[in-house]
Amino acid sequence: MSFKENTDIVFEHYEKKIYDQKQLLEISRALNSTLDYKYLIDAILNICLAQLQTLHAAMYLEPEIDLGLFKLEPQSIKGFELSVEEQNYEIKIDSPLIHYFEEKPKAITMDQILLMDSLKSIPDITYLRKMGAEILVPLNAKGKVNGLLVLGDKMTSEEFLEDEKEFMTTLANLAGIAVDNARLYELATVDMMTGLKIHHYFQTKLKEEMDRCRKKGTQLCLLFTDVDHFKSFNDTYGHQAGDVVLIEVAKQVINAAQRHHIPARYGGEEFCLVMPGASEEEAMVKGEEIRKAVESMVVKNPNDGTDLKVTLSVGVSSFRTTDRNNKDLIERADKALYQAKHSGRNRTICYKD
């Protein structure tokens, strides 16, 4: 090889390094620009898919703090075809695999793992191989492993280069910190029982959306929901059954919400949905969608396993330029909800003067 050819290769190598560093800088900015937990996970996986040219990616994270295990995030499976049993597979934090990554927090291929007597036969590796994993990358934050990226083989069937593994290791470190920050933010703003945003967060976001409406002339609607006869339900079936109902109703509200909507717990069994940009007609359609979903759901009584059913009343109000504060918009939604309750329940009513 001539001196010029050798020099060209060296320059090409460093150009690639500089390009990768610029990429990581942009990725770092993107990951740290949001505290939306689900959006963040999706963004990390999409970056992995594009960077490594693979069609398969998934992420194991701790479902709850100090739970002592990692599970697949439901929305984090891209490309892998897994059964329900496989999706529920748990990797314990005290697993030899996690201990290995705590000592050597770097991306590693499955071929490299299969050369290690201490890892190649453990159940976690057997499962991950069956899943189709080709490279594993630990997520790190505050000196500990807080997740695991699992990636499939390349579309080109080529081997993973050392530069690619280094890139993924650095990316996973950035991702680990971003995920940790998002998890802490979520814990501070989410009602742990229902998964809905807490009251203070709701009030803060509602004020922001109302201010936006005043400045830009956009629309905004608010839904209030309340489980019908909930006090009687609790007295009859007990508070455990009541909690199960609230969790299931909250799921219907969350499932119906679009990404820019804000589902929140106003208090007790009263849930709400802030709908930026929505007209009254659109809000009424959404209210009916949630009401019908609750009406058709069946909840198992935790005490004896019997089927339980509930219904929901929904009140809708829309932003007015004369609204002075949150209270005005909330009061109208509450009045519409009161009207729905007192005109037969299990219905959606929009506030009218």
Side-chain angles (χ1 to χ4, degrees), residues 127-314:
Y127 163 74
L128 291 167
R129 286 183 67 196
K130 182 183 173 186
M131 175 180 169
E134 287 295 329
I135 184 168
L136 306 179
V137 196
L139 271 64
N140 285 277
K142 299 174 184 173
K144 60 175 283 191
V145 175
N146 67 336
L148 187 66
L149 274 170
V150 180
L151 304 166
D153 56 3
K154 289 185 180 181
M155 289 183 282
T156 57
S157 299
E158 295 173 356
E159 291 185 0
F160 291 101
L161 303 175
E162 284 303 314
D163 283 353
E164 291 173 322
K165 286 190 279 187
E166 284 179 23
F167 184 94
M168 288 307 302
T169 298
T170 307
L171 170 62
N173 287 333
L174 296 172
I177 294 166
V179 165
D180 203 47
N181 290 339
R183 170 62 64 84
L184 291 172
Y185 181 73
E186 187 174 71
L187 287 172
T189 60
V190 172
D191 174 61
M192 287 297 103
M193 187 180 88
T194 62
L196 297 163
K197 292 296 185 181
I198 61 175
H199 183 93
H200 176 72
Y201 183 93
F202 157 73
Q203 292 283 6
T204 302
K205 284 296 182 179
L206 183 62
K207 183 180 185 303
E208 288 177 8
E209 293 302 334
M210 290 178 73
D211 288 343
R212 186 175 287 114
C213 287
R214 291 187 188 98
K215 290 176 183 176
K216 299 188 176 181
T218 52
Q219 298 182 101
L220 172 68
C221 279
L222 176 64
L223 297 186
F224 259 41
T225 74
D226 190 81
V227 179
D228 296 327
H229 300 297
F230 190 66
K231 185 180 183 304
S232 299
F233 183 95
N234 265 342
D235 292 341
T236 304
Y237 300 106
H239 288 280
Q240 273 191 321
D243 286 349
V244 172
V245 163
L246 292 182
I247 290 167
E248 293 304 315
V249 171
K251 283 181 185 176
Q252 304 306 327
V253 177
I254 292 168
N255 290 342
Q258 295 174 13
R259 188 173 179 273
H260 61 286
H261 293 165
I262 304 158
R265 187 175 188 180
Y266 189 76
E269 73 274 18
E270 208 166 50
F271 303 157
C272 50
L273 184 66
V274 181
M275 299 179 63
S279 64
E280 284 186 355
E281 292 76 17
E282 290 168 332
M284 284 291 290
V285 169
K286 185 62 68 178
E288 277 294 279
E289 178 187 334
I290 295 168
R291 184 193 65 78
K292 288 176 181 177
V294 170
E295 185 180 32
S296 63
M297 78 182 192
V298 178
V299 176
K300 290 292 180 184
N301 188 332
N303 301 310
D304 58 18
T306 55
D307 291 345
L308 300 174
K309 291 181 73 67
V310 294
T311 58
L312 199 70
S313 294
V314 184

Side-chain angles (χ1 to χ4, degrees), residues 53 59 71 166 206 267:
Q53 296 182 315
M59 192 183 301
K71 287 186 72 173
E166 284 179 23
L206 183 62

